[in-house]
């Protein structure tokens, strides 16, 4: 699984990834910090499972208030970055493919940051299966992702250019890492209506914030 092009890309990007959280755009930062405050509040006293945790940005934020967190990512280099952080609650960091991992228990809160945009749109059922098998009855799934950026001609948040649309309608971007190497990945953007249409066949939306830069949702399985 670590040979999957998306994982390969993120393995290489791990040391430079967290720059996305420290950009000099006040309106962007305000949205990000509001989302973060909402998540920290939501995580209070909760057992948390975070999929595709990357460098542990959200893990560290939630650890201020959560009871405990298991956070996994398929890229060992991402987990190595996360291991350098200080956490405020017990955090278990694991290298694991979320599609193969069997949760040892169910959790109050399941978190997925900046993943939905990378997931092939023809296969959302598989993603929701993964989320649902980790969530306790009455628990919440929280996701955040990017909105179409208005801040640069590249149309992306990192150095990139369009690589067209694949046969299933996924938006492809070719991104450039600091060493100049280019990687083509899926990066889907959604209007609020498109987002609701993508999610609602699978999950009940409990809250949705659609900003200029980010969207966040809280979801429950449809019973
Ligand atoms: C856009 S990054 C998001 C990182 C983090 N969630 C955040 O919001 O900062 C996507 C992450 O998904 C991880 N990833 C890709 N495929 C995965 C898989 N099958 N299982 C677990 N993690 C995966 C990548 O290694 C990368 O760290």
């Amino acid at each position: 699984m670590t040979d999957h092009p998306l994982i390969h890309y993120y393995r290489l990007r791990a040391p430079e990834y967290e720059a996305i959280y420290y950009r000099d755009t006040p309106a962007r930062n305000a949205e990000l910090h509001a989302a973060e405050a909402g998540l920290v509040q939501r995580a209070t006293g909760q057992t948390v499972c975070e999929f595709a945790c990357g460098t542990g940005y959200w893990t560290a934020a939630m650890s201020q208030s959560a009871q405990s967190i298991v956070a996994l990512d398929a890229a060992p280099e991402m987990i190595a970055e996360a291991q350098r952080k200080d956490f405020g609650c017990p955090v278990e960091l694991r290298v694991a493919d979320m599609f193969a991992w069997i949760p040892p228990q169910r959790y109050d809160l399941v978190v997925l940051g900046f993943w939905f945009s990378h997931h092939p749109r023809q296969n959302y059922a598989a993603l929701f299966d993964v989320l649902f098998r980790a969530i306790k009855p009455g628990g919440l799934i929280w996701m955040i992702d990017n909105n179409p950026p208005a801040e640069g001609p590249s149309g992306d948040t990192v150095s990139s250019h369009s690589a067209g649309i694949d046969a299933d309608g996924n938006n492809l971007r070719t991104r450039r890492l600091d060493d100049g190497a280019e990687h083509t990945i899926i990066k889907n953007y959604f209007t609020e209506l498109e987002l609701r249409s993508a999610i609602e066949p699978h999950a009940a939306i409990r809250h949705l914030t659609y900003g200029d830069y980010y969207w966040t949702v809280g979801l429950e399985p449809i019973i």
Side-chain angles (χ1 to χ4, degrees):
M1 188 68 195
T2 44
D3 287 339
H4 187 285
L6 187 70
I7 300 173
H8 179 69
Y9 164 68
Y10 276 112
R11 293 189 68 178
L12 297 171
R13 190 175 165 197
E16 54 195 89
Y17 177 75
E18 255 202 38
I20 65 160
Y21 290 114
Y22 303 104
R23 284 179 283 200
D24 190 18
T25 315
R28 174 186 284 284
N29 292 339
E31 265 189 35
L32 186 67
H33 296 149
E36 190 173 328
L39 180 61
V40 171
Q41 168 84 19
R42 180 69 65 173
T44 305
Q46 305 276 281
T47 57
V48 180
C49 173
E50 185 183 1
F51 290 111
C53 65
T55 56
Y57 179 88
W58 301 104
T59 327
M62 290 187 286
S63 79
Q64 298 167 37
S65 63
Q67 182 188 126
S68 62
I69 304 174
V70 59
L72 50 107
D73 197 283
E77 293 80 0
M78 285 290 192
I79 293 296
E81 294 289 328
Q83 278 165 341
R84 289 154 37 148
K85 291 195 161 57
D86 291 324
F87 297 114
C89 76
V91 172
E92 181 187 346
L93 295 167
R94 302 179 66 101
V95 177
D97 173 358
M98 64 179 166
F99 295 97
W101 186 67
I102 308 294
Q105 63 173 83
R106 288 178 179 248
Y107 303 86
D108 301 313
L109 180 64
V110 170
V111 169
L112 188 63
F114 299 105
W115 171 269
F116 197 72
S117 55
H118 289 321
H119 192 83
R121 56 172 73 241
Q122 68 276 18
N123 204 10
Y124 289 137
L127 176 60
F128 283 100
D129 279 353
V130 165
L131 303 177
F132 292 163
R133 72 184 179 213
I135 194 84
K136 267 186 190 167
L140 192 83
I141 295 159
W142 185 93
M143 297 199 277
I144 185 168
D145 219 311
N146 301 104
N147 278 331
E151 61 189 19
S154 74
D156 204 345
T157 50
V158 292
S159 176
S160 75
H161 59 267
S162 173
I165 309 256
D166 75 11
D168 294 297
N170 296 291
N171 187 41
L172 302 175
R173 306 284 311 175
T174 297
R175 288 177 166 179
R176 189 173 303 110
L177 293 176
D178 287 352
D179 67 359
E182 293 194 328
H183 302 261
T184 298
I185 54 153
I186 291 174
K187 183 72 181 177
N188 288 320
Y189 294 111
F190 305 86
T191 64
E192 182 174 350
L193 194 61
E194 287 167 347
L195 184 61
R196 287 183 182 277
S197 301
I199 291 172
E200 280 173 345
H202 306 280
I205 297 176
R206 294 296 174 233
H207 64 82
L208 188 157
T209 303
Y210 191 89
D212 290 333
Y213 296 91
Y214 303 102
W215 57 260
T216 57
V217 290
L219 309 174
E220 289 178 15
I222 297 170
I223 300 168

